[in-house]
Amino acid sequence: MTQIELPKYSAKDFATDQEVRWCPGCGDYAILAAVRKVLPDLNHRKENYVFVSGIGCSSRFPYYMGTYGVHGIHGRAPAIATGIKSANPNLDVWLVTGDGDGLSIGGNHLIHMLRRNVNIKVLLFNNRIYGLTKGQYSPTSLTGHRTKSTPLGSIDHPIHPISFALGVEATFVARCTDVNKGGLNVLPDVLKAAADHRGSAFVEIYQDCNVFNHQAFFYATEKDTARETTVLLEHGKPLIFGANRDKGIRFNSTRLEVVSLENVKEDDLLFHDETDPALAFLLSRMHHTQGLPEPVGVFYRVNKPCYEDMLTEQIEKSIAQRGEGDLEKLLNSGSTWTVSE
Amino acid sequence: MNTPVSAVDRKHTTETLEGAVIRFCGDSGDGMQLTGGEFTTTSAVFGNDVATFPDFPAEIRAPAGTLPGVSGFQVNFASTDISTPGDKVDVLVAMNPAGLKTNLADLKAGGILIVNEDAFNNNNLKKAGYARNPLDDGSLKDYKLYKIPISRLCEESLAETGMGAKAIGRAKNMYTLGVVYWLFDRSLEPTIKHLTDLFTKKKNQPEVADLNIRALKAGYYMGETAEMFQSRYIVPKAKLAPGKYRQISGNEATALGLIAGARLAKKTLTYAGYPITPASDILHFLSAYKNYHVKTLQMEDEIAAVCAAIGASYTGDIAVTGSSGPGIALKGEGIGLAVMTELPIVIVNVQRGGPSTGLPTKTEQADLLQAVYGRNSECPCIVIAARSPGDCFDAAVEAIRLATKYMTPVMLLTDGYIANGAEPWLLPKMSQLKPIEIQHPTAFNAHSDEAEGEGNNVYWPYLRNENLARPWAIPGTPKLEHRVGGLEKAQNTGNVSYDPMNHQRMVDLRQAKVEKVVQDIPPTEIQGEKSGDVLLIGWGGTYGSIHAATERLLNRGHKVGTVHLRYINPLPPDLGEIIRRFKTVVVPELNKGQLIRIIRDRFLVDARGINKVQGKPFLISELVAQIEAMLPQPRVERAAR
Ligand SMILES: Cc1ncc(C[n+]2csc(CCOP(=O)(O)OP(=O)(O)O)c2C)c(N)n1
Ligand code: SF4
Ligand SMILES: [Mg+2]
């Protein structure tokens, strides 16, 4: 019913008068522009949006959105967002975090928010580096990565954000890139799909840190390579990729392999099934350095009850069964006795 | 029900006492907490004033029969006004040698000692470190010793129920309670009702209820028929202020106070916590009150809990988090965010012995400086403290009122002693509690030439009112979209600001706002003399001990006055003037001296401390002795009061 009176928004309505302060060329700009552009299409009231973040370059995001917002503390955005959504389930809560914010200091909170299936949209800006603190390695930095704090190369094994999200029972898991010069710009579609999902939606966004980890994802975003190193996931469709869409992915026993469509029929390719967690996990392990394209789009999407809905339901049920709480009665409960004058 | 009628009893003499202190002790598996709790409720319902001190080990089940596994419950019940569970014990009930060993020192000379003789076997004696059986070696000759084969008698009396040996063994605490009920001429009815409610109605185990009730009665009849005791004791009703009472523990009162506060504000309560002793019970109580629109979130840790509270507060709920010891340490950064975003949250700290994991089940008051100062940078919080179990209710309501009025976090300090201890509580009337006024703006509040749109009207999230509080617009309100966060904000507009003078101003404002709370602090009440030799300044859960010690000192003719602080940050505005009326200021605390530092700092007074960190409350006697040592000789004996 709110649809009728809903004002027609434009991207400008979701901007603020605050100067955006990311470095020139930072991938965050493209993501900001995409979000501002997508929101007007979602037909939700502007005053119902709350953008929540932790700390990091990426986490400055709420200051640049003309919505309600909380710029929290490092890693804790999922907990703050859970409090917001629990207090008012009607709000559209979006969470912006970084690879350090969300997977290092805040990894625990992200685990629990996703597993509880709180209806919150998570955008994890993965630049494989700590941007704001000027370039230390992060939990997604590749082994051997030389940074200020790893002059001889990182000795950590990196986390795969998509595998992580699947492992902690997220009900919507997707990936996209900040920009795509190769024509496969799935960011707006993934944002819309995340918004439409009822439950925790986890979106990993490959993001270029122009200053401290420039070109980390160029293989996946540049014109001449993007089509060869990424593959779009579409539910019920075969995995086909390449500049000429002439390659596909096929099961070879339990492993995935690249085949040429010249010798293999489409029907023999791997067909994507968004509801299969095992398949989603397998896809999350595909890496271009192993000669496999990295999937973008929706890996996994299933329906499960949301935390805040069950929270509300328990309260409503309790009221239905025991009646609206009467405090005077509650105070007088248990063994009471009266002392007279 | 076939309950014995008391009072008419010719075989025994009866003695009337003003009051008595009983301690039940035994293995943590012996059910001593339930036993003590039952005795307390029965006495309270009868009309005594009561005060309790449950004392249990940190381990759920330390090895049976060992000293660390001993659990105790002390109850003081009287026909007069009492404020502590009592220093020394009149009656000690020891269910095993370990209990006897750890508790005997607190039994008065000549006191009654009831033991379960059957538990004093070689194995148990060895575990408790007794070389010889103390029941036989004459070492207990200073006490009225009653050796009762409780296990055997209980077993015999329940044999016909056909229940298993284990279940019967478990009922021996009720048998023991029956004996003590007989000794003190108590009615069995409240306990029978409670056992029926608990086992028959709630757990659907009528056979267990029956077993326990039989044990209770058997114990009672044993006292009546065995001619073991020479005399029975009567503790008449106390003259309490008229009104309706119930027993309440501090944690339950805190939970009810939080619900009441939210009601008074006409708002929903969100409580976010993470299990930790001794704060968990607040989470448990609140989880059961969903039909009061209470949302309880058991988060993944204490950091998440404070952050969820901040999120709920931004969204317009009455938001509370609670914890103890290490959990409060984890919340520090989150509390800073609440101070910076100027959002109202209440942090309940049920203090326990520390540092680190420390003494989880024991009490202490050593988090005061943490509450006032323990965060990075200039990060002032309102800090208040509850003084007794029932007072937790009022303190919780006050915490919500202050947090929402000044838009800032409030730390509410309670402690393990008052959280688990119980007292008769004069029920408040909701209609007599002051409503908490909260307004969420729905319209622009300022005009700015720089602002675009709608006639240059804007919403400024940091435009302050006369209390220096900022407005609390909540998400979902059209046109008032704004961002808050941990970065410094410009006064009025709330935009991120790195301007040096703005930072100075905002730091000053956040401080000034907390200091404004002095306008809400009522005149400080003084117990005893209004001027004189010694002013005692106490805070929190030591109220009962300090109050009783003051009475004693006054009775001995000392010129003593006592104030007990609810407001710690800021301090009451009249405190400095009161301090100047006394020659000496003494600050008793269960820590190494924390409030005293603030008092010295604020008032430049050479205050002296009485400090104890043993995980236990003050004894009245130790306070009196230490204060007397600081006093000039008493002049006149005042008539006993
Ligand atoms: C408790 C705490 N520890 C450390 C920091 C410093 N810090 C700020 S942002 C950050 C890392 C941010 O990395 P990421 O989340 O990847 O965000 P990016 O800047 O790359 O977008 C760190 C370590 C902090 N603000 N708070
Ligand atoms: S440091 Fe990197 S991530 Fe941060 S704003 Fe600059 S380019 Fe972007
Ligand atoms: Mg990063």
Side-chain angles (χ1 to χ4, degrees):
Chain A
M1 65 185 171
T2 46
Q3 301 297 57
I4 305 159
E5 26 168 328
L6 198 68
K8 198 74 207 132
Y9 299 118
S10 71
K12 201 170 156 278
D13 292 310
F14 288 94
T16 62
D17 58 357
Q18 297 299 292
E19 191 192 338
V20 183
R21 295 202 190 184
W22 289 309
C23 306
C26 177
D28 292 356
Y29 283 98
I31 308 171
L32 177 65
V35 172
R36 283 177 178 172
K37 209 161 154 231
V38 163
L39 292 198
D41 296 343
L42 298 179
N43 288 328
H44 294 190
R45 303 195 73 91
K46 184 181 149 192
E47 62 267 22
N48 282 351
Y49 283 104
V50 187
F51 276 77
V52 187
S53 67
I55 300 292
C57 296
S58 37
S59 288
R60 291 296 169 90
F61 203 91
Y63 289 126
Y64 309 138
M65 292 296 299
T67 63
Y68 285 93
V70 180
H71 179 220
I73 45 180
H74 200 19
R76 320 301 176 193
I80 298 172
T82 299
I84 292 172
K85 192 72 180 164
S86 304
N88 184 354
N90 294 326
L91 299 174
D92 294 302
V93 183
W94 289 65
L95 193 158
V96 178
T97 183
D99 41 324
D101 189 68
L103 295 171
S104 190
I105 192 167
N108 190 35
H109 305 302
L110 195 52
I111 289 178
H112 296 282
M113 194 204 87
L114 293 175
R115 107 184 136 76
R116 289 186 185 113
N117 200 30
V118 193
N119 189 356
I120 291 168
K121 316 303 153 199
V122 182
L123 309 182
L124 186 135
F125 294 21
N126 183 8
N127 54 14
R128 292 199 177 136
I129 201 81
Y130 285 0
L132 191 69
T133 45
K134 300 198 162 73
Q136 301 83 2
Y137 77 123
S138 89
T140 54
S141 296
L142 303 179
T143 309
H145 193 166
R146 286 171 195 266
T147 70
K148 273 185 196 151
S149 56
T150 52
L152 302 182
S154 159
I155 54 172
D156 291 16
H157 304 293
I159 237 175
H160 294 72
I162 299 287
S163 305
F164 160 85
L166 291 166
V168 303
E169 307 291 334
T171 55
F172 178 101
V173 180
R175 179 195 281 150
C176 50
T177 56
D178 51 2
V179 293
N180 195 306
K181 297 171 184 157
L184 252 190
N185 188 14
V186 294
L187 177 55
D189 291 339
V190 166
L191 291 176
K192 274 183 213 156
D196 287 342
H197 178 69
R198 201 170 165 82
S200 282
F202 177 86
V203 181
E204 176 192 16
I205 307 176
Y206 286 172
Q207 175 242 326
D208 186 49
C209 170
N210 191 39
V211 176
F212 298 109
N213 201 12
H214 190 38
Q215 305 193 345
F217 296 106
F218 262 30
Y219 64 90
T221 57
E222 293 314 285
K223 192 160 190 256
D224 41 348
T225 52
R227 290 292 197 138
E228 305 300 325
T229 59
T230 61
V231 56
L232 178 64
L233 300 174
E234 290 171 284
H235 185 58
K237 293 197 181 157
L239 272 68
I240 298 176
F241 69 106
N244 305 317
R245 289 185 62 78
D246 56 354
K247 282 176 263 187
I249 303 292
R250 184 178 74 170
F251 263 118
N252 180 356
S253 169
T254 59
R255 294 186 177 270
L256 300 175
E257 64 175 1
V258 174
V259 290
S260 164
L261 289 185
E262 275 174 28
N263 1 348
V264 176
K265 288 196 300 282
E266 262 192 43
D267 281 356
D268 293 334
L269 294 178
L270 168 62
F271 280 66
H272 185 43
D273 177 358
E274 288 175 352
T275 64
D276 181 347
L279 175 64
F281 191 81
L282 199 63
L283 295 171
S284 78
R285 313 304 284 186
M286 291 167 70
H287 203 279
H288 81 284
T289 53
Q290 301 157 349
L292 291 168
E294 295 176 14
V296 293
V298 179
F299 285 69
Y300 186 61
R301 169 161 42 188
V302 287
N303 281 320
K304 258 193 210 170
C306 297
Y307 180 81
E308 70 280 5
D309 289 343
M310 290 193 284
L311 184 74
T312 315
E313 212 178 276
Q314 283 196 341
I315 289 174
E316 282 167 1
K317 236 198 200 136
S318 170
I319 292 171
Q321 278 168 5
R322 308 194 327 196
E324 187 75 43
D326 175 348
L327 198 61
E328 204 79 55
K329 228 158 107 195
L330 178 61
L331 295 178
N332 281 278
S333 67
S335 299
T336 60
W337 66 95
T338 304
V339 173
S340 41
E341 303 276 347
Chain B
M1 242 166 274
N2 189 10
T3 308
V5 241
S6 53
V8 202
D9 178 352
R10 313 230 174 270
K11 277 186 280 179
H12 305 88
T13 58
T14 37
E15 256 179 67
T16 301
L17 305 175
E18 196 174 273
V21 178
I22 303 183
R23 187 185 296 168
F24 298 91
C25 66
D27 204 62
S28 38
D30 282 339
M32 293 296 95
Q33 301 303 319
L34 177 70
T35 311
E38 284 305 316
F39 192 93
T40 309
T41 306
T42 297
S43 300
V45 171
F46 168 71
N48 294 132
D49 196 4
V50 297
T52 68
F53 181 42
D55 189 23
F56 39 84
E59 291 73 25
I60 301 300
R61 284 285 154 88
T66 60
L67 300 177
V70 172
S71 168
F73 190 103
Q74 181 168 325
V75 47
N76 184 3
F77 58 111
S79 59
T80 54
D81 210 3
I82 48 171
S83 54
T84 78
D87 289 4
K88 283 278 184 179
V89 173
D90 299 299
V91 180
L92 179 67
V93 180
M95 299 301 284
N96 68 358
L100 180 68
K101 183 134 201 191
T102 40
N103 289 284
L104 187 63
D106 293 333
L107 181 61
K108 278 183 189 158
I112 293 176
L113 175 59
I114 298 172
V115 297
N116 175 14
E117 197 180 3
D118 293 333
F120 283 69
N121 54 33
N122 286 341
N123 190 16
N124 282 344
L125 288 166
K126 215 167 103 200
K127 277 192 212 157
Y130 278 116
R132 283 164 303 157
N133 190 341
L135 304 186
D136 304 329
D137 67 359
S139 62
L140 301 173
K141 63 178 176 351
D142 291 344
Y143 310 102
K144 288 189 198 120
L145 173 64
Y146 297 100
K147 297 187 271 185
I148 309 178
I150 293 176
S151 305
R152 181 171 58 82
L153 294 176
C154 181
E155 225 176 278
E156 284 170 9
S157 60
L158 300 179
E160 63 186 46
T161 59
M163 296 280 283
K166 210 167 157 195
I168 289 178
R170 264 205 222 117
K172 66 178 181 296
N173 63 333
M174 286 300 114
Y175 186 94
T176 313
L177 182 62
V179 175
V180 180
Y181 274 165
W182 178 83
L183 193 60
F184 284 92
D185 189 24
R186 309 266 103 162
S187 156
L188 304 188
E189 283 309 326
T191 298
I192 291 174
K193 179 171 180 301
H194 183 215
L195 290 170
T196 312
D197 284 350
L198 182 68
F199 290 111
T200 308
K201 293 191 188 149
K202 260 202 197 137
K203 300 193 176 172
N204 199 18
Q205 300 174 322
E207 67 290 350
V208 180
D210 179 61
L211 192 75
N212 279 291
I213 292 167
R214 277 168 185 258
L216 183 75
K217 289 181 179 173
Y220 192 95
Y221 291 133
M222 199 286 296
E224 177 111 347
T225 52
E227 299 199 14
M228 180 178 271
F229 300 98
Q230 296 82 17
S231 120
R232 300 179 81 179
Y233 303 94
I234 298 197
V235 177
K237 292 181 185 192
K239 282 177 214 63
L240 296 171
K244 199 162 176 195
Y245 285 80
R246 70 178 276 198
Q247 269 291 99
I248 197 145
S249 72
N251 274 342
E252 187 166 16
T254 302
L256 293 180
L258 294 174
I259 299 176
R263 272 290 157 100
L264 291 169
K266 298 199 175 67
K267 291 201 131 279
T268 311
L269 175 67
T270 290
Y271 182 90
Y274 184 76
I276 188 166
T277 304
S280 299
D281 275 340
I282 301 176
L283 176 63
H284 304 161
F285 283 123
L286 289 172
S287 304
Y289 298 138
K290 293 197 166 46
N291 60 326
Y292 291 78
H293 298 271
V294 175
K295 292 175 188 161
T296 50
L297 314 179
Q298 180 177 316
M299 299 300 290
E300 55 274 16
D301 61 26
E302 287 87 348
I303 303 174
V306 68
C307 287
I310 290 169
S313 171
Y314 182 66
T315 313
D317 270 6
I318 298 295
V320 182
T321 184
S323 191
S324 300
I328 297 293
L330 283 178
K331 291 183 195 294
E333 191 194 6
I335 298 169
L337 178 65
V339 167
M340 198 66 165
T341 50
E342 305 195 29
L343 285 168
I345 61 168
V346 174
I347 308 105
V348 182
N349 179 356
V350 187
Q351 297 167 94
R352 69 185 212 184
S356 187
T357 307
L359 302 173
T361 59
K362 312 290 176 197
T363 199
E364 205 163 88
Q365 293 186 297
D367 297 350
L368 179 126
L369 290 176
Q370 181 197 41
V372 178
Y373 299 116
R375 291 162 295 279
N376 56 306
S377 191
E378 298 291 343
C379 192
C381 252
I382 300 173
V383 180
I384 64 174
R387 58 166 62 177
S388 68
D391 186 50
C392 290
F393 178 89
D394 297 327
V397 173
E398 179 70 355
I400 290 174
R401 209 176 58 77
L402 293 176
T404 50
K405 177 168 176 186
Y406 294 96
M407 292 293 286
T408 196
V410 175
M411 177 86 81
L412 166 57
L413 297 174
T414 73
D415 61 51
Y417 170 61
I418 58 175
N420 288 324
E423 66 174 1
W425 180 47
L426 181 59
L427 294 180
K429 285 229 169 344
M430 277 308 285
S431 53
Q432 280 161 17
L433 298 176
K434 233 176 37 208
I436 295 173
E437 304 286 348
I438 292 175
Q439 264 163 15
H440 297 299
T442 52
F444 297 130
N445 61 358
H447 187 87
S448 160
D449 290 341
E450 279 129 63
E452 297 168 19
E454 306 226 15
N456 299 35
N457 288 322
V458 285
Y459 171 67
W460 276 352
Y462 281 77
L463 184 74
R464 294 168 194 281
N465 67 13
E466 69 282 5
N467 297 320
L468 302 180
R470 70 175 194 86
W472 189 9
I474 56 175
T477 315
K479 301 197 174 116
L480 305 193
E481 290 89 352
H482 66 279
R483 276 68 52 197
V484 297
L487 283 169
E488 184 62 281
K489 298 293 181 295
Q491 165 71 348
N492 296 333
T493 64
N495 290 326
V496 174
S497 167
Y498 302 104
D499 173 31
M501 291 322 287
N502 175 71
H503 179 54
Q504 174 85 52
R505 188 173 176 204
M506 293 298 270
V507 170
D508 292 344
L509 276 167
R510 287 187 288 264
Q511 178 70 40
K513 178 163 91 155
V514 168
E515 274 156 22
K516 277 256 173 199
V517 171
V518 295
Q519 67 190 6
D520 294 73
I521 304 181
T524 303
E525 280 176 28
I526 308 176
Q527 178 198 0
E529 304 293 340
K530 308 297 173 240
S531 64
D533 292 326
V534 164
L535 175 69
L536 293 172
I537 304 181
W539 67 278
T542 49
Y543 170 74
S545 319
I546 298 175
H547 183 86
T550 306
E551 279 294 301
R552 248 184 239 180
L553 289 163
L554 289 168
N555 286 341
R556 296 191 194 181
H558 295 299
K559 295 202 124 303
V560 179
T562 293
V563 301
H564 206 81
L565 302 179
R566 147 93 75 235
Y567 301 87
I568 288 164
N569 195 35
L571 287 166
D574 56 0
L575 189 60
E577 189 266 317
I578 295 171
I579 284 174
R580 283 193 290 280
R581 290 192 240 140
F582 289 82
K583 292 196 191 113
T584 308
V585 173
V586 177
V587 185
E589 296 176 87
L590 297 174
N591 58 37
K592 293 287 285 171
Q594 301 202 356
L595 177 66
I596 193 171
R597 282 167 207 265
I598 295 177
I599 300 275
R600 284 172 167 228
D601 173 33
R602 252 308 277 287
F603 304 108
L604 297 176
V605 54
D606 187 16
R608 300 163 73 177
I610 297 178
N611 303 96
K612 170 173 170 180
V613 277
Q614 297 165 11
K616 290 179 172 186
F618 281 121
L619 299 180
I620 303 166
S621 52
E622 69 190 357
L623 283 177
V624 169
Q626 291 199 50
I627 295 162
E628 277 196 323
M630 299 177 188
L631 274 165
Q633 287 307 304
R635 275 145 278 198
V636 272
E637 279 287 316
R638 269 217 290 177
R641 323 184 335 158

